[in-house]
Amino acid sequence: MTKLVIEYCEVTGFAIPEDYHHLKHLNDFDLIGYNVLLELLNTIENNSDNNIFFVELLPFIKRRFIPYLSQHLRDTSSSAQILNGLLNTFPNKSASVDWKIIHSKTEIELVSKRPSLMSSSSKYCDIYLYSFMLELLVENEAASGKDILSVKLPFERSHYAKYVDIFENVEFESNHMSILVRKPERETYEPESRTIELPNLTLIDQVTAAANTIDVNTLNLKSLSSLIGISERNLQRKLCSAGKKPTAIIKSVKFSRARQNLIRNKGCVKRTAYECGYTDLSNFTRLFVNITGLPPREYVKANTHLFR
């Protein structure tokens, strides 16, 4: 979704800070912390002359993202199944989404947890989730807006400021965001209440997500440990105990970015090396050889289908 926001900024002529430029070249399946998106949206709101920038952005995001969600939820046949399916579909591109599903015999509740302290930018998370959920539940032929029993938001009305009118029939100050829907009679088979939670991301996944938010030109152990908020020595120790060296994560992220840029540049090795911060082409070549067994030019020849 971060890439969609950046794309919208380019379409509307809003110049985003240079710190975010590299994010548009991430692979669609690269993990990234959700806080990065929230910080970007907050930056836009604070620097845009358009007071309704975010309101205008929502339909753009919906047009691109709702079809993706709908495709993954095409086999659902009720509001309850949509919520259940979203647990495994919506958060999997972010490293910092904390969701759970609570089943009872007749109802199902999707809960998006919130820490006790969040910045003002956290309102965007609630607005996105609320908008996507309502569109999926109301517009889906198999579901029905009448199945929605309650929608709760974690903060007071003033937290959502000028966007508060987007919400209808919601409860504020509920600690977490949640949507409760009724199950159809054919699905009321739960013998007792149960909770399904997303598995916690591993330390390696969390560090990888952090590395993905740093421009490869400045990605190193120092910048990575600084972003995470621990010392270089402590980061090395924690990762080694998890079976991974930080240099291996850094190298993997740099290669992934280099490969994406090489594809985008239609196989131009010099330009890609420069964009990835390699002033010495031999170091760039060494990166490819270590991971693929081939120098960049040979990699391009062996994968011509990627560079058409």
Side-chain angles (χ1 to χ4, degrees):
M1 196 181 300
T2 304
K3 292 168 68 175
L4 288 179
V5 174
I6 294 173
E7 182 182 333
Y8 183 75
C9 289
E10 292 176 340
V11 168
T12 57
F14 179 82
I16 62 170
E18 192 172 331
D19 291 347
Y20 295 99
H21 283 186
H22 68 282
L23 297 176
K24 65 182 178 182
H25 301 309
L26 287 176
N27 188 298
D28 287 342
F29 297 98
D30 286 334
L31 280 172
I32 186 171
Y34 204 63
N35 60 304
V36 175
L37 172 60
L38 301 184
E39 290 168 3
L40 172 58
L41 290 170
N42 204 43
T43 298
I44 293 170
E45 182 177 42
N46 291 336
N47 294 278
S48 174
D49 294 330
N50 184 354
N51 289 329
I52 58 171
F53 182 96
F54 187 71
V55 175
E56 294 177 346
L57 169 64
L58 267 176
F60 178 85
I61 298 293
K62 282 184 180 180
R63 285 195 300 270
R64 301 289 295 276
F65 207 65
I66 291 292
Y68 163 80
L69 292 175
S70 298
Q71 182 180 2
H72 285 267
L73 299 171
R74 60 182 179 274
D75 295 328
T76 56
S77 59
S78 69
S79 298
Q81 288 185 11
I82 288 174
L83 284 195
N84 207 49
L86 281 169
L87 183 72
N88 299 312
T89 303
F90 198 105
N92 64 5
K93 293 180 180 294
S94 172
S96 50
V97 174
D98 192 357
W99 286 17
K100 67 178 179 180
I101 285 283
I102 302 175
H103 281 272
S104 70
K105 182 175 176 61
T106 58
E107 301 166 349
I108 182 171
E109 183 177 25
L110 176 64
V111 179
S112 179
K113 301 178 187 176
R114 298 286 187 273
S116 56
L117 295 175
M118 289 193 78
S119 68
S120 60
S121 60
S122 62
K123 62 179 174 282
Y124 302 118
C125 183
D126 299 327
I127 295 170
Y128 270 127
L129 188 52
Y130 172 85
S131 300
F132 288 147
M133 291 292 194
L134 248 61
E135 182 138 343
L136 286 168
L137 293 173
V138 173
E139 299 298 329
N140 191 301
E141 294 181 1
S144 168
K146 296 179 181 179
D147 293 331
I148 302 173
L149 299 178
S150 71
V151 178
K152 298 179 181 179
L153 296 172
F155 305 108
E156 59 186 19
R157 289 178 62 91
S158 60
H159 179 80
Y160 303 98
K162 59 188 175 185
Y163 304 114
V164 71
D165 290 338
I166 291 175
F167 303 110
E168 296 180 4
N169 302 318
V170 303
E171 298 177 36
F172 294 93
E173 297 184 75
S174 298
N175 296 321
H176 301 302
M177 181 170 186
S178 70
I179 297 183
L180 179 70
V181 302
R182 181 188 298 108
K183 290 181 178 179
E185 289 187 10
R186 64 180 181 278
E187 295 178 28
T188 56
Y189 51 79
E190 295 290 338
E192 56 185 25
S193 297
R194 64 187 177 98
T195 300
I196 304 172
E197 298 194 51
L198 285 172
N200 293 325
L201 286 173
T202 65
L203 173 66
I204 293 171
D205 284 339
Q206 293 176 30
V207 174
T208 300
N212 280 331
T213 67
I214 302 173
D215 192 309
V216 287
N217 290 291
T218 56
L219 176 57
N220 52 37
L221 181 58
K222 182 178 180 179
S223 62
L224 184 56
S225 59
S226 176
L227 179 64
I228 295 172
I230 61 177
S231 68
E232 295 177 34
R233 186 181 182 86
N234 201 14
L235 178 59
Q236 287 178 312
R237 181 180 59 79
K238 286 178 177 292
L239 282 173
C240 285
S241 66
K244 195 85 169 181
K245 291 182 178 179
T247 51
I249 292 177
I250 292 170
K251 185 182 294 184
S252 175
V253 169
K254 283 191 171 185
F255 171 74
S256 177
R257 200 79 52 81
R259 181 179 177 277
Q260 286 297 110
N261 286 4
L262 192 61
I263 294 172
R264 183 168 54 86
N265 292 331
K266 301 188 183 302
C268 181
V269 176
K270 280 189 176 181
R271 180 179 177 181
T272 301
Y274 174 77
E275 288 179 349
C276 293
Y278 288 90
T279 54
D280 186 344
L281 201 58
S282 63
N283 289 333
F284 184 73
T285 298
R286 192 176 300 114
L287 174 71
F288 265 80
V289 171
N290 287 343
I291 294 178
T292 69
L294 296 171
R297 287 188 176 86
E298 293 300 318
Y299 180 82
V300 171
K301 290 179 182 178
N303 297 275
T304 52
H305 62 286
L306 297 174
F307 302 95
R308 292 170 183 164

